[in-house]
């Protein structure tokens, strides 16, 4: 709880309100939080020479940053608005991906990408740092949407007028429906180059 309160404070803008300055500040703090979490988790991973929670850490951190950014800025301004919808989609994507990747590494036992890095602390640290940048880039939509001053409520569910917001939401839902068909088949078999018959 204390850690969440600290990160929420970091991702907020305090009395400065929302605006371009707040957006830049939030982005900078989001990058710092993304890297800091990965660097902390790198320590036990390097000590035990394991990559089993590497992907889980990245995707779940993306979801956590989106949730905390929304809570820090506009958790008290209702649910059906652009900030909440964007944050919820990032959170949902991060949670789905983290569950899938964690199940996959448990099923396969290891990730061949780390065969060299696992025994090289310096190279392993580079991997975790790259993931911190990846987490930040995935969090940018939620960080920016929550920190900018203009907040448009989503239309009522009955008013499907075809604005860019509705079409963005439709595209996100389609991605959720299509994505698992291309990823979850790999849970049942080890990765085999040129033999993958899943969607991707």
């Amino acid at each position: 709880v204390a850690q969440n309160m600290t990160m929420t404070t970091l991702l907020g803008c305090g009395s400065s309100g929302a605006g371009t300055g707040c957006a830049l500040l939030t982005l900078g703090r989001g990058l710092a939080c993304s890297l800091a979490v990965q660097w902390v988790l790198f320590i036990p991973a390097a000590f035990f020479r394991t990559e089993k929670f590497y992907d889980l850490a990245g995707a779940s951190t993306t979801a956590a940053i989106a949730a905390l950014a929304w809570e820090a800025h506009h958790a008290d301004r209702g649910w059906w608005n652009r900030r909440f919808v964007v944050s919820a989609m990032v959170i949902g994507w991060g949670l789905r991906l983290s569950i899938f990747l964690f199940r996959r590494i448990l099923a396969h036992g290891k990730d061949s990408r780390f065969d060299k890095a696992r025994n090289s602390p310096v190279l392993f640290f580079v991997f975790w740092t790259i993931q911190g940048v990846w987490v930040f880039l995935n969090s940018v939509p939620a960080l920016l949407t929550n920190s900018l001053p203009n907040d448009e409520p989503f239309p009522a569910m009955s008013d499907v007028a075809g604005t860019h917001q509705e079409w963005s939401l439709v595209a996100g839902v389609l991605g959720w429906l299509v994505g698992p068909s291309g990823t979850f088949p790999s849970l049942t078999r080890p990765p085999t180059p040129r033999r993958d018959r899943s969607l991707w």
Side-chain angles (χ1 to χ4, degrees):
V1 175
Q3 182 181 5
N4 285 347
M5 292 178 62
T6 301
M7 291 186 69
T8 300
T9 302
L10 285 173
L11 293 175
C13 292
S15 59
S16 62
T20 304
C22 176
L24 294 175
L25 183 62
T26 301
L27 286 175
R29 289 174 171 176
L31 176 60
C33 289
S34 301
L35 290 171
V37 171
Q38 305 311 304
W39 288 342
V40 169
L41 294 175
F42 158 76
I43 297 174
F47 181 80
F48 292 107
R49 297 184 180 181
T50 180
E51 72 279 10
K52 288 191 175 180
F53 58 90
Y54 176 83
D55 291 318
L56 173 65
S60 59
T61 303
T62 301
I65 288 179
L68 293 170
W70 178 75
E71 182 180 354
H73 288 281
H74 304 283
D76 59 342
R77 297 192 181 182
W79 297 86
W80 192 242
N81 53 56
R82 181 170 56 184
R83 291 189 176 104
F84 173 76
V85 172
V86 171
S87 299
M89 293 180 74
V90 174
I91 293 167
W93 174 85
L95 292 178
R96 186 198 72 83
L97 183 62
S98 63
I99 293 171
F100 160 71
L101 293 173
F102 190 57
R103 289 180 61 193
R104 185 179 68 175
I105 191 66
L106 291 180
H108 294 168
K110 71 169 189 174
D111 190 333
S112 60
R113 296 175 300 170
F114 296 88
D115 285 346
K116 293 182 179 179
R118 194 181 299 112
N119 297 313
S120 172
V122 174
L123 184 57
F124 206 21
F125 180 77
V126 171
F127 273 61
W128 281 89
T129 300
I130 292 174
Q131 176 161 262
V133 176
W134 175 82
V135 167
F136 167 70
L137 293 176
N138 287 324
S139 305
V140 164
L143 292 171
L144 278 180
T145 303
N146 281 291
S147 60
L148 292 177
N150 56 325
D151 187 20
E152 301 176 12
F154 259 62
M157 293 298 292
S158 58
D159 298 332
V160 185
T163 67
H164 67 282
Q165 294 188 123
E166 284 77 27
W167 286 115
S168 298
L169 185 57
V170 169
V173 172
L174 287 176
W176 270 70
L177 295 175
V178 173
S181 66
T183 54
F184 280 101
S186 65
L187 287 173
T188 59
R189 61 182 184 273
T192 53
R194 300 182 182 180
R195 287 187 177 181
D196 191 353
R197 295 185 179 180
S198 67
L199 178 63
W200 304 131

